[in-house]
Amino acid sequence: MFTDVFRVEYSKNPSLDQYSIFFGCHFSDITFSDLHLDEKTIQECVFREITFQNCRFTSAFFHECHFIYCTFKNCEFTQS
């Protein structure tokens, strides 16, 4: 089961910050700015034509995810 989100642009998205696990999501044509997915589990998600700008992925766990034509600008990938 996929949750589709299309052609929506977020400057900040606190609604994503409240969840600790993302499963089976499908994001397309979105810009995420200043998003912090610290210690989140992202599983079986598809990211198509996404721009991640100034995002932080500290200790984020990606499992069976697909990034198709995505751009990462000034993003941080670290493990705590």
Side-chain angles (χ1 to χ4, degrees), residues 54-71:
N54 301 320
C55 296
R56 190 172 71 202
F57 302 92
T58 302
S59 295
F61 177 71
F62 291 91
H63 181 69
E64 295 187 29
C65 293
H66 300 278
F67 293 87
I68 305 160
Y69 302 113
C70 293
T71 303

Side-chain angles (χ1 to χ4, degrees), residues 35-74:
L35 181 66
H36 296 174
L37 292 178
D38 300 334
E39 299 183 15
K40 307 290 185 186
T41 298
I42 300 96
Q43 185 172 344
E44 297 182 29
C45 293
V46 176
F47 298 90
R48 180 182 299 277
E49 297 180 35
I50 304 298
T51 297
F52 295 94
Q53 183 172 325
N54 301 320
C55 296
R56 190 172 71 202
F57 302 92
T58 302
S59 295
F61 177 71
F62 291 91
H63 181 69
E64 295 187 29
C65 293
H66 300 278
F67 293 87
I68 305 160
Y69 302 113
C70 293
T71 303
F72 296 86
K73 298 178 182 178
N74 196 35

